[in-house]
Amino acid sequence: MANEQFDVTVIGSGPGGYVAAIRAAQLGLKTAIIEKDKRFGGTCTLRGCIPTKQLLMSAHVYEQMQHAADFGVQASGIQLAFADVQKRKDKVVMKNAKGIEYLMKKNKITAFNGTGRLALPGKVEITSAEGKKDTINTKSMIIATGSVVRPIAGFETDGERVVNSDHILELKEIPKSLIVMGCGAVGVEFASVYSRFGADTTAVELLPRLVPLEDEEISKELERSFRKRGIKCQLDTKLEKLEITDKGVTVSGKTAKGEPVKLQAEMLLVAVGRMPYTEGLGIEGTKIIVEKGFIKVDEYQQTGEAQVYAIGDVVPTPLLAHLASREGIVAVEHIAGDKDVRPVNLRLVPSCTYCDPEVASVGLTEAKAREAGYDVKVGKFPFSASGKARILGEEEGFVKIVSESKYDEILGVHIIGPHATELIAEACVAMQLESTAEELGRTMHAHPTVSEAVMEAAENVHGLAIHI
């Protein structure tokens, strides 16, 4: 192994790492990838995006079957077989991981199982699970080691009564009651899953609203929808103390107004975010700069060490799988000497939350657009006026388009409702092409589709929506 010479070595096989490796191979670079897990895919495939969304799909099917009579379908004896739900999740995860393994072989990428450590200049040390060490030579390196669950002092997890997002994926039984601490994407998705599975669910958020990074109107609509579904929302509340009891957990704290809060449940999910994983990488003593745990990079993902790049959750950009993939492609194209490589435009990164109803957005919120000094114009269209949404029986939510009046350029699109996470792709294309609201509104959309709501919201920027 010591004589192996690679053009690019990627440490980590998540959606940043494996995509970077494939693009490097496509560009003719001799590529290696190092993964400490026995399976490829990283957090996204093994403990994040894929298993979570499979649970959400099972919850969606279960809920739809309970309302089958609304569609003229008589069904009885509907039961949730949670063990089979977990089997389905595991099967999908394994299939995805195997798919990535196949892609490594297809693209002739040399894979090493172990932990990678920089040995600059030009070398990476690989330590196997058994402790055996080997070294490979490489011209460039990409750090793609991802993130881990962020621990919170006083709310340490035990995997039983107090769980994190990794633990809750592996439950054998559904808790009778669940407190979700943290209402970002992870928190509201699991609240949505387990409430539909039958858990009495309470969502607790430090800030005044659910999904606080989203547009304020989206947050309000999601809270309204959650409360309608029986999910209790304890907002603007700081939890300060955790007590393990015979029956589960008791948490206590105060609201922003100083009012005491005390909640009890069988289980507590701590869903307050993740932190970059850079342990054991060997970046100490190098020119690589770390700020607040994140590796500092330039617009081409290059660190202070010219031959070392970093992508995904270890750099200070949103912790999103698709962003990691794009950053990986930028890094590899820069390594390959592509003169036309385009840095990531962080204003065009879509954000998707797969709760029920779904939430998706790209670009500026209305508040951020006003803060930036734009003369803002807004167009909205409710799914309650959409024929296809009525057919689906999913009439909650709306599409909101934020534009500016001078050039009519679309600054942001925010969606809550059916298939929001798919519909946002159209907004991404429109904004990538610097579309105006008028152009989007004049683009013919098929009928009946929920995508018509995007068209009508764009038309409504100028007061020309037809169906409201």
Side-chain angles (χ1 to χ4, degrees):
M1 194 184 295
N3 296 322
E4 288 267 21
Q5 176 67 54
F6 295 96
D7 295 313
V8 179
T9 297
V10 183
I11 305 175
S13 74
Y18 84 75
V19 168
I22 292 171
R23 180 51 55 90
Q26 289 173 337
L27 295 178
L29 302 176
K30 187 177 180 182
T31 306
I33 191 165
I34 303 168
E35 174 54 57
K36 69 180 189 305
D37 199 291
K38 292 181 180 179
R39 299 175 295 173
F40 290 103
T43 295
C44 175
T45 300
L46 306 178
R47 296 173 294 278
C49 315
I50 301 303
T52 304
K53 278 54 181 178
Q54 181 56 59
L55 290 182
L56 281 155
M57 185 64 203
S58 292
H60 179 69
V61 171
Y62 182 48
E63 184 178 53
Q64 277 201 320
M65 290 182 70
Q66 290 175 308
H67 294 91
D70 296 342
F71 297 86
V73 178
Q74 298 300 321
S76 60
I78 298 166
Q79 293 182 325
L80 182 70
F82 191 58
D84 291 335
V85 169
Q86 292 289 36
K87 286 179 183 177
R88 165 76 179 173
K89 178 209 69 182
D90 293 341
K91 181 179 178 181
V92 170
V93 167
M94 183 57 71
K95 195 168 185 178
N96 276 46
K98 287 291 186 182
I100 297 168
E101 181 180 349
Y102 161 76
L103 290 172
M104 297 299 101
K105 293 176 181 176
K106 175 190 174 186
N107 288 281
K108 297 179 173 58
I109 296 162
T110 303
F112 297 102
N113 185 226
T115 302
R117 180 182 177 85
L118 305 183
L120 300 179
K123 295 181 184 296
V124 175
E125 183 182 84
I126 303 169
T127 304
S128 70
E130 294 76 29
K132 181 186 176 185
K133 295 182 184 295
D134 286 296
T135 302
I136 58 174
N137 300 302
T138 186
K139 294 177 182 177
S140 297
M141 310 162 198
I142 300 177
I143 298 171
T145 46
S147 61
V148 293
V149 173
R150 183 183 298 278
I152 300 297
F155 293 86
E156 289 78 11
T157 59
D158 59 14
E160 296 180 5
R161 297 296 191 187
V162 185
V163 301
N164 58 33
S165 57
D166 290 349
H167 299 138
I168 202 166
L169 286 170
E170 306 302 329
L171 297 184
K172 303 300 181 186
E173 296 180 353
I174 299 164
K176 292 182 176 63
S177 53
L178 176 69
I179 297 169
V180 178
M181 179 182 178
C183 293
V186 173
V188 297
E189 285 183 2
F190 279 117
S192 188
V193 166
Y194 281 93
S195 67
R196 283 182 284 175
F197 282 168
D200 182 7
T201 304
T202 302
V204 184
E205 170 56 44
L206 177 65
L207 297 174
R209 53 195 179 94
L210 301 175
V211 287
L213 296 181
E214 298 292 343
D215 187 271
E216 191 169 345
E217 285 189 276
I218 298 289
S219 294
K220 288 180 179 178
E221 178 70 4
L222 183 60
E223 181 186 348
R224 186 197 67 77
S225 180
F226 266 26
R227 292 187 185 279
K228 180 181 175 182
R229 286 165 163 74
I231 301 174
K232 296 177 281 293
C233 301
Q234 181 67 50
L235 308 177
D236 220 7
T237 297
K238 182 179 181 180
L239 295 181
E240 299 169 333
K241 185 179 179 182
L242 164 67
E243 181 185 354
I244 307 295
T245 67
D246 292 338
K247 295 182 179 180
V249 297
T250 299
V251 293
S252 56
K254 293 180 181 178
T255 66
K257 297 178 181 179
E259 301 164 338
V261 172
K262 191 172 185 178
L263 303 168
Q264 294 178 320
E266 186 176 311
M267 184 178 290
L268 170 67
L269 167 63
V270 181
V272 289
R274 302 178 66 83
M275 63 182 189
Y277 182 76
T278 56
E279 183 181 339
L281 274 175
I283 58 181
E284 301 81 4
T286 69
K287 295 178 182 178
I288 298 172
I289 298 171
V290 178
E291 295 178 347
K292 297 181 179 179
F294 292 97
I295 296 174
K296 188 176 180 180
V297 293
D298 66 11
E299 60 183 344
Y300 300 110
Q301 309 302 132
Q302 197 168 23
T303 71
E305 293 283 356
Q307 68 178 147
V308 182
Y309 293 69
I311 62 173
D313 291 1
V314 296
V315 302
T317 54
L319 278 63
L320 298 167
H322 45 278
L323 177 54
S325 296
R326 180 52 55 183
E327 289 171 343
I329 289 171
V330 169
V332 166
E333 290 180 346
H334 191 255
I335 290 169
D338 186 345
K339 295 180 180 179
D340 295 323
V341 57
R342 296 184 185 181
V344 175
N345 183 345
L346 292 173
R347 276 187 59 176
L348 298 183
V349 178
S351 175
C352 294
T353 305
Y354 299 79
C355 51
D356 183 24
E358 289 188 347
V359 172
S361 63
V362 63
L364 298 177
T365 65
E366 181 180 351
K368 289 294 183 183
R370 294 189 188 281
E371 285 176 19
Y374 289 104
D375 182 11
V376 173
K377 294 187 73 174
V378 172
K380 290 174 62 179
F381 188 83
F383 284 108
S384 59
S386 162
K388 182 59 181 288
R390 290 194 195 108
I391 291 168
L392 294 173
E394 300 179 40
E395 299 178 49
E396 289 182 302
F398 55 85
V399 178
K400 177 178 180 178
I401 293 182
V402 178
S403 69
E404 52 82 40
S405 60
K406 186 175 181 180
Y407 300 108
D408 195 36
E409 182 180 355
I410 298 169
L411 301 175
V413 178
H414 309 274
I415 308 173
I416 179 169
H419 305 297
T421 59
E422 303 290 342
L423 294 177
I424 201 64
E426 175 180 7
C428 294
V429 172
M431 291 181 65
Q432 177 72 33
L433 299 176
E434 298 181 356
S435 176
T436 64
E438 181 184 7
E439 288 170 334
L440 183 55
R442 287 181 180 271
T443 301
M444 192 181 302
H445 287 59
H447 175 77
T449 62
V450 288
S451 68
E452 290 173 288
V454 178
M455 174 186 71
E456 295 242 34
E459 289 181 315
N460 202 32
V461 169
H462 302 291
L464 296 174
I466 296 296
H467 292 95
I468 55 172

